[in-house]
Amino acid sequence: RSPTGLLVAKLGEMECGQFVGKVKPDRNIERLATRYNLDTRVVSRLTELRVRRKKTQTEDFNRLEQHLSLCKRPSATATLLIGKVLEGELKQIPDVTTAKALAQRFKLDKDAKSKLREIAEKRAEDVEEVMLHLEKTLAMSHQPSATLCKLAKTLMDGGKKKSADDKYVNQSVSDADSPVEERPKSRSAARSECSTDSSSIRRRRA
């Protein structure tokens, strides 16, 4: 919002008797800000989310906290998700309950948790199906974190399996009907695949 536009809006609220000079501190916002070390801009966005979505604020905050518990950059992730919801790109913050349970079950490292959260966000429409396939795949892996990092890009690009026994297939490439061969990698190579943050977070500004 521009300063001029904000001033005009507030003057209009004052004329209608709707202006509130100071928003009361919210315990949920204060708790999230403290726990995840959120910056002041994110706190402002959280307040805006609470005010503009009063009916769903409990669900919004619960889901947002799930995302923050999995990501590596809480302030950036919160800014991204709140922005998408308030701007109408998302009807609601994606539910990552199943993803969080997978992270705990397979004791995923920070990088893998972050990628898992991104997968759940980008595949929100069929997240349960994707998480089910991931659960079966990780259960057969000796290095769940490395395996998830290897599959992350394919899944975020819309990759899928025809059945639980198939390899993940990327729909965006020309050989989409060919299975992706899984080769063992060193820990350093696996870490490099997982350590890169999503470009969507870097591009978005508060």
Side-chain angles (χ1 to χ4, degrees):
R1 295 181 178 180
S2 67
T4 302
L6 182 59
L7 177 60
V8 171
K10 291 303 178 184
L11 288 174
E13 291 176 4
M14 291 175 69
E15 290 178 356
C16 297
Q18 299 175 346
F19 176 74
V20 178
K22 184 178 180 180
V23 179
K24 295 181 179 179
D26 183 271
R27 291 184 178 180
N28 285 327
I29 294 177
E30 292 178 342
R31 180 178 58 80
L32 288 178
T34 301
R35 182 172 184 178
Y36 297 102
N37 195 28
L38 303 178
D39 60 41
T40 55
R41 291 176 297 176
V42 179
V43 172
S44 296
R45 293 294 269 173
L46 283 169
T47 302
E48 184 178 1
L49 180 69
R50 178 174 68 85
V51 171
R52 292 176 58 180
R53 289 171 59 89
K54 290 182 180 180
K55 293 182 179 180
T56 60
Q57 62 176 291
T58 300
E59 181 182 65
D60 287 342
F61 277 45
N62 288 339
R63 290 190 175 188
L64 181 61
E65 184 166 12
Q66 290 179 341
H67 283 265
L68 298 183
S69 70
L70 295 173
C71 72
K72 294 192 299 181
R73 302 170 60 200
S75 288
T77 299
T79 299
L80 173 72
L81 291 172
I82 295 171
K84 284 185 175 182
V85 170
L86 294 181
E87 293 165 17
E89 293 182 40
L90 291 175
K91 292 183 179 179
Q92 58 188 358
I93 296 174
D95 186 358
V96 292
T97 302
T98 305
K100 187 174 181 179
L102 282 183
Q104 293 174 341
R105 175 182 172 184
F106 295 103
K107 299 179 180 179
L108 300 180
D109 60 30
K110 291 182 179 180
D111 291 329
K113 285 180 182 178
S114 181
K115 288 298 181 184
L116 182 62
R117 187 208 68 79
E118 292 184 56
I119 292 169
E121 177 192 343
K122 294 181 182 297
R123 299 295 297 270
E125 293 184 1
D126 60 346
V127 65
E128 293 303 323
E129 180 183 354
V130 173
M131 291 299 119
L132 177 60
H133 285 315
L134 264 178
E135 181 180 12
K136 293 178 179 179
T137 302
L138 297 181
M140 295 184 292
S141 173
H142 296 295
Q143 295 183 330
S145 293
T147 298
L148 187 144
C149 289
K150 181 177 180 181
L151 296 173
K153 186 177 187 304
T154 298
L155 289 172
M156 286 189 282
D157 288 344
K160 66 176 184 179
K161 283 182 176 182
K162 293 182 179 178
S163 71
D165 296 326
D166 293 335
K167 299 291 184 181
Y168 281 97
V169 177
N170 193 328
Q171 294 175 303
S172 64
V173 296
S174 58
D175 58 343
D177 293 329
S178 301
V180 178
E181 182 179 357
E182 185 172 343
R183 299 185 180 88
K185 289 192 175 184
S186 65
R187 290 189 177 182
S188 59
R191 189 180 300 114
S192 66
E193 284 188 7
C194 225
S195 59
T196 55
D197 292 327
S198 171
S199 59
S200 62
I201 292 182
R202 293 199 301 269
R203 287 197 300 268
R204 187 173 290 270
R205 296 290 184 267

